[in-house]
Amino acid sequence: MGFQTEFNSVCKFKSKQELYELLEYGRGKMVKSGFRVFPTGQKVIAYTPDNEAIAIVKILVSIAEINFQGEEVTEVEMELVRKLTEEEARVQTALAYEMFFGEHA
């Protein structure tokens, strides 16, 4: 058991449904496996399941717990600040690939 720290600028969705709800309603949540620490109160870049930057979100709540199935999970609630412009998304996606999502040596 241990906490995994998320990058301060990354909030990657694994579920298209969770991302759709955030973009459609302006608020949403995602569930991540394992105990993770998200920067509550900070604005971060949200990424699609395909590692593409899509929006700026504010992390409202981050709760790490053991669910009823005995699994370690973290629920993150957030609000949409704004969607990125096409140019912003392109630049952020390229930077994130180099820093986080690309091949690691």
Side-chain angles (χ1 to χ4, degrees):
M1 176 170 65
F3 282 89
Q4 177 180 349
T5 303
E6 295 297 321
F7 298 108
N8 283 344
S9 61
V10 173
C11 184
K12 182 180 174 194
F13 284 85
K14 297 274 188 204
S15 163
K16 289 183 180 182
Q17 181 63 35
E18 290 172 340
L19 178 58
Y20 168 80
E21 290 174 7
L22 172 71
L23 297 175
E24 183 69 20
Y25 303 114
R27 290 180 74 103
K29 74 173 187 175
M30 68 177 173
V31 178
K32 304 288 259 182
S33 63
F35 289 149
R36 297 169 185 254
V37 176
F38 282 84
T40 303
Q42 292 185 16
K43 294 177 185 173
V44 298
I45 303 294
Y47 291 84
T48 69
D50 298 325
N51 297 338
E52 294 182 15
I54 193 163
I56 298 173
V57 298
K58 183 175 181 181
I59 305 295
L60 301 175
V61 178
S62 178
I63 302 170
E65 63 185 1
I66 297 175
N67 65 18
F68 291 115
Q69 291 78 33
E71 303 163 329
E72 297 173 351
V73 296
T74 301
E75 289 189 29
V76 183
E77 294 183 18
M78 64 203 74
E79 69 181 359
L80 178 66
V81 174
R82 69 175 176 85
K83 288 184 75 172
L84 297 176
T85 66
E86 191 174 308
E87 177 69 9
E88 290 170 333
R90 185 185 62 74
V91 170
Q92 286 291 340
T93 298
L95 289 171
Y97 182 80
E98 182 177 339
M99 295 173 64
F100 311 121
F101 303 132
E103 294 183 30
H104 301 291

